[in-house]
Amino acid sequence: MDTQVLILVVSFLLLLVMNVPVAVAIGVSTLLTILSIGDAPAFYIIAQRMSSGVGSFPLLAIPFFILSGVLMGEGGLARRLIDFAAAIVGRFPGGLSYVNTLTCMLFGSISGSAAAAVSSIGGFMIPEMNEKGYDKRFNVAVTTTAATTGLMIPPSNIMIVYAVAAGNVSISAMFIAGIIPGIVVGMGIMLVCAVMSIQRGYGAGERATFREAAIAFKRAVLSLLLVVIVLGGILGGVFSATEAAAIAVAYSFVLAVWVYKQVKMKDLSRILLQSGKTTAVVMLLIGTSKAMSWILAYQNIPQTVSEVLLGVSENPIMIFVIINLLLLFVGTFMDMTPAVLIFTPIFLPVVVELGMHPVHFGVMMIANLCIGLCTPPVGTCLFLGCGVGKISIAQVTSTLIPFFIAMFVALMLITYWPALTMVLPQLFGLV
Amino acid sequence: MDIHTIRSGVRRIIEILLILAMGLLVIDVLWGVVSRFVLGAQSRYTEELATMLLIWVSLLGASLAYGSGQHLGVDYFVGKLHPDAQGFMRIVVALVVIAFAGSVMVYGGTILFGQTLASGQVSPAMGLKMGYVYLVVPISGVLFILESLSMLSASGNEVGEEC
């Protein structure tokens, strides 16, 4: 068994370092491992997992949320949400940084993509904040970190990926469980903004009159209603997550094409193509990961990891620290989707044995990996944020530190205070 | 006809297929919801068709996304290398992808397709032969190889121009 584990780990790391697409690296290292066992039909097994592994009804929610996110984004979602957030939090000292954070939370929720939040919201907010005299580095740091909160606030595709990787975890429960932790992370970021804005003497925005606030609300309300429809429908048991996602597509289509009139019918084929490709990137990862988790289970890896970890300590507090540190390390060089797909089957049995609920673990894992999206060397949000703000990663790193501390404190709260995550799903009878 | 012409022609066809499949996917699932609320009974076909379409969208789209460099990779380490070494690594990566697509997707996928077809397994609602659903695996494998060959040929030309 040890030889096979060695082949799997070494070949996978080597392929990653060589910049082989992660999905292919997962497939190739799995292939080599199965071949080294000798008697299994390796090519057939992987081909079978890759195709039937993605053919599941719950996974269909992913292309739909991607499509609805693109439609909303092209329908001018960013500007609407910014004006809405400005009417609420713009009046405080350093107001634009709260506007930025709140908008990222709302946008990330509706679009489901942290990357889209950085480029869309950052595209408006970073230049605006630069112009109002805010420090460039601060602006990039706020946008980069705040954008990740949308991955926790539902609807969220990464939650679906986790539910699928964990097996037997309800997508609805994951969606609802992410709400409070997502808001906690957002509040943590705003707290850092508050301290830094006061220190640096950033000015307050104008206080919106009631009339202005009402107009901003009216312009944003139909977009925000999308989240209400999706969550309301799922919670009310009216439709499944997949059906809710399809309804979200229909709703965003009507809004973008007929109400906001920002998307033309001729844009649709381009939008469908773009969403189809984005979907396929996630699905290929899920497909090859299904093959890898098969070989991991076949080799009893989860049990081995479990024994090793429990050999170090029987104390849950200690084990959760170790798992969080390992995940923080993984997050710095691996993107979120492959990390969730690979490490969920490995760590989940351990934490369940220690009494952690799978829903709680999922939210903790995602909150943890969000930090990795903002750290060098591999941080999707950081790269995008620096690109939008036209500064180098080295310039922004020191300004990011207080934000990392806030995210880490939030992660510790999420880890050691289960009620934070579990109260809402329990209230709605989802767990 | 050179490899790039073939590639862009094939890509255009696959793009159209992907657009149609995505559109159909949305209409299909929405129809499932409508049929349940309006007609009182969920159409038996919608879920089954949707999962089949998802397999096709995923594998066809994956080859297109590979061609446009959208699959996630860890480019940090290679980025530190000398430009010539980076070019060499791109060739190695393309060869790894060809090996994977050829062995797993084309060879393994063809066995999967053949065996499932021979077993006579049909989908529960529509009665469609399941083998045809898996036909997309070898097709996608061929597309991955085509994209890789096109990349290899492009980097070969680059090297040629430098000399």
Side-chain angles (χ1 to χ4, degrees), chain A residues 136-430:
Chain A
K136 255 184 171 181
R137 291 167 294 181
F138 173 74
N139 307 340
V140 170
V142 177
T143 315
T144 305
T145 49
T148 64
T149 55
L151 297 174
M152 307 182 65
I153 302 171
S156 154
N157 279 337
I158 195 71
M159 296 281 189
I160 300 171
V161 171
Y162 171 78
V164 169
N168 254 342
V169 171
S170 131
I171 294 175
S172 312
M174 286 304 297
F175 276 6
I176 305 309
I179 297 176
I180 297 178
I183 293 173
V184 167
V185 176
M187 303 279 270
I189 292 168
M190 286 201 223
L191 197 65
V192 175
C193 290
V195 173
M196 290 176 85
S197 296
I198 291 167
Q199 273 178 352
R200 296 164 177 219
Y202 292 144
E206 278 170 40
R207 196 190 182 105
T209 63
F210 180 76
R211 208 183 122 71
E212 285 165 351
I215 292 172
F217 177 72
K218 203 178 137 225
R219 276 172 46 83
V221 68
L222 287 176
S223 310
L224 295 169
L225 201 59
L226 179 89
V227 181
V228 178
I229 294 173
V230 169
L231 292 186
I234 294 175
L235 284 179
V238 187
F239 28 73
S240 67
T242 301
E243 291 172 342
I247 288 168
V249 173
Y251 183 77
S252 338
F253 173 80
V254 171
L255 271 194
V257 175
W258 287 311
V259 181
Y260 296 153
K261 297 193 174 66
Q262 304 255 352
V263 174
K264 302 274 176 296
M265 289 305 254
K266 67 174 166 53
D267 299 325
L268 286 180
S269 61
R270 177 179 54 80
I271 291 173
L272 284 170
L273 180 62
Q274 185 193 336
S275 313
K277 285 202 272 184
T278 312
T279 301
V281 169
V282 182
M283 291 296 164
L284 190 69
L285 273 168
I286 293 178
T288 51
S289 297
K290 289 258 177 176
M292 189 187 250
S293 41
W294 178 81
I295 192 71
L296 286 175
Y298 188 81
Q299 295 289 323
N300 290 322
I301 308 282
Q303 287 88 329
T304 314
V305 171
S306 197
E307 280 161 24
V308 170
L309 279 175
L310 294 175
V312 175
S313 166
E314 291 264 334
N315 182 351
I317 296 178
M318 202 51 217
I319 300 284
F320 296 161
V321 167
I322 297 172
I323 290 179
N324 266 314
L325 290 179
L326 286 171
L327 287 174
L328 280 173
F329 175 72
V330 166
T332 57
F333 71 89
M334 192 184 270
D335 219 73
M336 198 180 237
T337 308
V340 166
L341 286 164
I342 295 170
F343 290 95
T344 300
I346 295 180
F347 288 139
L348 188 60
V350 192
V351 298
V352 168
E353 179 144 340
L354 293 171
M356 191 183 242
H357 194 284
V359 169
H360 182 198
F361 176 67
V363 172
M364 180 195 97
M365 183 182 213
I366 290 162
N368 182 310
L369 293 171
C370 279
I371 301 177
L373 290 179
C374 313
T375 55
V378 182
T380 318
C381 289
L382 179 62
F383 285 1
L384 281 170
C386 288
V388 175
K390 298 189 181 66
I391 58 176
S392 73
I393 292 170
Q395 280 176 294
V396 78
T397 309
S398 62
T399 317
L400 271 168
I401 289 170
F403 291 95
F404 287 149
I405 294 172
M407 289 171 94
F408 185 77
V409 170
L411 172 64
M412 289 297 109
L413 272 175
I414 293 164
T415 305
Y416 293 109
W417 189 7
L420 207 60
T421 309
M422 300 306 291
V423 67
L424 283 183
Q426 273 161 0
L427 194 68
F428 287 99
L430 292 167

